[in-house]
Amino acid sequence: MLVGGCTGQSDDSKSPSGSGSSAATPHGYVEGASEAAEQQSRLLLGDPAGGETRVLDLITGKVHHTDRRPDASALTTDGRFGYFHTPDGVHVLDSGAWMVDHGDHVHYYRAKIRQVGEMPDGRRVTIRSDAGVTVATGADGRADVYRRADLEEARLGSPVELPGGYAGAVVPYAEHLIALTGGDDAPAELAVLDRSGKAVDTPKATCRDPRGDAVTRRGAVLGCADGALLIHEQDGELTARKIPYGEDVPAAERARAFRLRPGSSTLTATAGARAVWVLDVTESRWTRIRTGPVVTANTAGEGTPLVVLETDGALHGYDIATGKETGATPRLLKNPPRTVAGEGPAPVIEVDRSRAYLNDPEGKRVHEIDYNDDLRVARTFALDIRPALMVETGR
């Protein structure tokens, strides 16, 4: 479970004896989990065609079989839980790997893989989470708030339905909910809500045609037609400011979905068919990197290369500062997408502090890449399913 501090004792971290004594409870203790000194990464994998799912433990190399999820069209994660999106609802799987970042130090945990349940809603939804809540926002703008503590105990509990409808995903941030309202024929307006959906602040900020969002160390980012809207918390106060593109960007080339390493402040997004946007939130700067025909991209940030999967089936590295290509792998995908759009779920690049992971559905494998060593292929994991869906947890 995600805990809010490292001193004292909370109801969620009682000692095994039930004494409640902080002296008897090891620092960082979480009931039912083992604490580790290093990141406990796992890959959640799904085959939409057959419905098979797997969990690949990147520490042990062991593959765990999990329940079938027929018709799953997407798989998302919040760092611990995997969300398999199907026409009938969203199935929640506890991957049993997560981290708790307290700023000056980090706790890494591993536990059993557990089925949590299915959010009983056939709407197309987006899932956003923080340490306290998980919010499911439907395409119709309605949003349900689930208690994170319930999910950690392998149950969904009873969600709270937020009043009204919203434009885009409702994003938990800084113990609030960040939402956009309106926006049909005018720019959507930023609203700051409490966990019950009550408006507690209305910063003077708007976002035209909202697409994409992310939470970084520097704040929550919402993608807008003219750039990004950054919501930042400091000393309990929330402020909002725009990070503009700085140039006219055609609709087909704007950022519409962000990818990043959790904990980073560097975001990536495709910029049309042959380029990638890199948004440095710390510097409030957009950079357009010219690439070959791009399928997906990601970066660990902080001086690491931009890693791009192109339609030749190879990973290409680019220096973000200069835009120059720094290297490329051999062709890694057995049957790479012939077009940028492709059909069905596109391969993805998951990035953590030392490695990147690329799924190869046709080859029934996942490649582990050392992006700090000229994109060296460190390991390749053979699988018994086509892993068209993939997310990484434990980061």
Side-chain angles (χ1 to χ4, degrees), residues 28-364:
Y29 171 78
V30 173
E31 186 174 3
S34 299
E35 187 169 5
E38 61 181 3
Q39 182 174 287
Q40 300 296 296
S41 293
R42 292 173 176 174
L43 295 178
L44 277 60
L45 306 163
D47 182 348
E52 293 86 1
T53 68
R54 302 287 187 268
V55 177
L56 170 60
D57 190 319
L58 294 170
I59 302 299
T60 66
K62 182 177 180 180
V63 177
H64 301 265
H65 289 234
T66 45
D67 291 357
R68 294 181 70 252
R69 294 296 152 205
D71 301 321
S73 59
L75 172 60
T76 57
T77 187
D78 54 22
R80 173 174 178 175
F81 298 94
Y83 302 91
F84 290 86
H85 299 249
T86 75
D88 297 324
V90 177
H91 184 82
V92 186
L93 175 71
D94 184 350
S95 74
W98 70 98
M99 64 171 283
V100 181
D101 188 349
H102 290 295
D104 60 343
H105 67 286
V106 177
H107 295 281
Y108 298 105
Y109 298 100
R110 60 186 296 120
K112 293 181 178 180
I113 301 166
R114 298 190 295 179
Q115 303 292 336
V116 176
E118 187 162 325
M119 295 177 178
D121 199 331
R123 299 173 300 160
R124 181 168 58 86
V125 299
T126 56
I127 307 292
R128 301 290 182 264
S129 303
D130 69 0
V133 297
T134 292
V135 183
T137 309
D140 57 5
R142 294 189 292 117
D144 294 326
V145 180
Y146 293 82
R147 293 178 66 247
R148 185 79 171 191
D150 288 333
L151 272 64
E152 291 166 358
E153 295 180 1
R155 65 174 187 266
L156 289 176
S158 299
V160 174
E161 183 175 346
L162 299 182
Y166 304 96
V170 175
V171 180
Y173 171 68
E175 300 184 1
H176 292 82
L177 301 177
I178 306 301
L180 293 168
T181 61
D184 290 337
D185 299 315
E189 296 183 354
L190 178 65
V192 177
L193 317 174
D194 65 17
R195 297 304 172 95
S196 68
K198 178 182 178 181
V200 294
D201 194 5
T202 54
K204 298 295 183 180
T206 60
C207 181
R208 181 165 54 88
D209 190 23
R211 293 286 190 278
D213 59 88
V215 174
T216 76
R217 284 188 177 275
R218 299 290 180 176
V221 175
L222 306 179
C224 309
D226 56 351
L229 183 63
L230 174 66
I231 299 90
H232 176 68
E233 184 272 336
Q234 185 171 5
D235 299 328
E237 296 292 329
L238 291 174
T239 60
R241 62 181 176 86
K242 190 64 67 70
I243 304 177
Y245 284 119
E247 61 180 273
D248 291 332
V249 177
E253 297 179 8
R254 58 167 291 198
R256 293 181 174 272
F258 297 110
R259 297 192 62 81
L260 73 160
R261 174 181 62 81
S264 172
S265 294
T266 306
L267 284 65
T268 67
T270 56
R274 302 182 66 90
V276 175
W277 286 114
V278 177
L279 172 58
D280 185 329
V281 178
T282 302
E283 299 296 330
S284 298
R285 181 177 62 239
W286 290 91
T287 302
R288 192 200 302 250
I289 307 295
R290 303 291 180 180
T291 66
V294 56
V295 178
T296 188
N298 210 336
T299 183
E302 302 172 1
T304 63
L306 172 68
V307 182
V308 181
L309 172 64
E310 300 185 10
T311 56
D312 61 0
L315 291 178
H316 297 252
Y318 293 86
D319 184 292
I320 294 174
T322 65
K324 293 182 178 179
E325 184 171 356
T326 58
T329 67
R331 174 174 161 175
L332 295 179
L333 296 195
K334 187 174 182 179
N335 185 22
R338 295 183 179 180
T339 63
V340 175
E343 295 183 2
V348 296
I349 303 170
E350 291 287 317
V351 176
D352 58 34
R353 291 183 179 274
S354 61
R355 295 290 190 268
Y357 297 91
L358 172 67
N359 56 326
D360 178 6
E362 294 299 323
K364 293 186 176 181

